Amino acid sequence: MAYRILRRPWRAKKPLYWGMVPELAGIIPLLVLFGVQQPDAFRTLFWRIGFENKLNSNPNMILYAYANHQPLPTIPFVWSQTLTSYNVAISIVALFILLAKMIATIMQVFYPLFGTIVGLCMTALFTVSVYGQAGPDYADSRYPSPVAWYIRYGCGIAEPYNAGKSCMMAKGTFAVTVYMLSVFVAQSAFAIWAMLPNKELDMMEDSDDDDDYHGPKDKGVAVEMQPTPPNPQVPFTPRTQAFHALERKLPFRHS
């Protein structure tokens, strides 16, 4: 019995199959929500709303830096174009990964090792997205913001700016992102569980290899050579030869 890293069977197949359903149910909304926010549907507006309510830094900090010939400040990740593009990218990557997993599962080559690697990578990617959407803003020491205002508070702050629906969309996007993060965490845990040593699975794996690489003799099946029966031949006599010669000489009769 040897521990296999690559070709390990899954401990259960149904969670592997059905686990792709909630994954697909979260990817489709994220593709739409992240795509709508590209390139700047309401990011700068939310930044300005937060500043006017003394909840985060000033979105005009870059203009002030240019006007005063000062070094450009670092834009908080939550209000940056980088986060918006990043979210669109990971939603596309997640869809591609899901399609690849479906194909690999059908072809029976999606092993727990691959599931562990994919699950941990997607968990890391969506952790960054969750952190970015709810990320801190300490660019202005007067108005430190540990969490974005549209997550800490209700969307009533955005109503005077006619941004109530956009605020609800941002909160919904954050909720779906957290949901996807939980899905990938669960998938990673399931794959890691399948990677743990298991005597029954390891013995099953060894027996499968024995069946593949050993012939019938190793399985205890005796193969015996059966003698080939001789082909029966028609006995040859002088009378038989004369009969065939006479038959060739007879004229063909029409009925």
Side-chain angles (χ1 to χ4, degrees):
M1 180 181 65
Y3 177 79
R4 299 297 181 91
I5 297 178
L6 179 60
R7 296 182 57 193
R8 289 190 63 80
W10 292 89
R11 295 198 178 193
K13 292 295 184 67
K14 289 185 178 180
L16 174 64
Y17 301 149
W18 290 105
M20 299 181 187
V21 176
E23 184 178 353
L24 178 63
I27 290 176
I28 300 302
L30 276 187
L31 283 170
V32 177
L33 293 172
F34 285 153
V36 169
Q37 297 178 22
Q38 181 75 10
D40 186 7
F42 44 77
R43 184 184 67 254
T44 303
L45 175 61
F46 282 9
W47 194 1
R48 181 169 61 85
I49 292 174
F51 174 72
E52 292 181 359
N53 290 272
K54 300 180 180 181
L55 299 175
N56 52 244
S57 60
N58 190 348
N60 295 325
M61 62 171 60
I62 299 178
L63 297 178
Y64 293 155
Y66 276 118
N68 297 319
H69 303 283
Q70 296 178 353
L72 295 179
T74 301
I75 298 177
F77 188 47
V78 63
W79 310 122
S80 65
Q81 176 65 36
T82 303
L83 176 62
T84 305
S85 302
Y86 176 85
N87 288 334
V88 174
I90 65 170
S91 62
I92 297 175
V93 170
L95 179 60
F96 173 78
I97 291 295
L98 177 60
L99 295 177
K101 285 168 55 177
M102 289 181 177
I103 296 174
T105 302
I106 294 174
M107 298 179 64
Q108 298 183 356
V109 294
F110 188 66
Y111 299 114
L113 177 62
F114 301 150
T116 302
I117 295 174
V118 170
L120 292 178
C121 290
M122 297 306 296
T123 299
L125 292 176
F126 275 84
T127 299
V128 174
S129 179
V130 170
Y131 169 79
Q133 295 180 54
D137 178 4
Y138 296 115
D140 193 336
S141 59
R142 299 174 301 171
Y143 312 121
S145 174
V147 181
W149 65 265
Y150 61 87
I151 295 177
R152 284 190 296 166
Y153 306 102
C155 292
I157 300 175
E159 291 295 341
Y161 302 88
N162 295 324
K165 293 183 179 179
S166 298
C167 178
M168 295 298 296
M169 182 182 297
K171 293 173 73 72
T173 303
F174 179 75
V176 177
T177 308
V178 173
Y179 164 79
M180 286 300 301
L181 176 60
S182 63
V183 169
F184 287 121
V185 169
Q187 291 182 354
S188 300
F190 177 69
I192 293 174
W193 177 60
M195 290 293 296
L196 297 178
N198 184 278
K199 293 183 178 180
E200 295 181 359
L201 293 180
D202 292 336
M203 291 177 62
M204 182 185 304
E205 187 74 17
D206 291 339
S207 63
D208 292 341
D209 291 343
D210 292 340
D211 293 343
D212 293 337
Y213 292 102
H214 294 291
K217 183 178 179 181
D218 296 330
K219 296 181 181 180
V221 179
V223 179
E224 298 180 358
M225 297 297 295
Q226 299 293 335
T228 304
N231 294 328
Q233 298 181 358
V234 179
F236 183 80
T237 60
R239 180 178 296 179
T240 303
Q241 183 179 6
F243 177 78
H244 287 297
L246 180 61
E247 188 178 27
R248 287 195 299 268
K249 293 180 180 180
L250 291 177
F252 180 74
R253 296 181 179 181
H254 296 278
S255 57

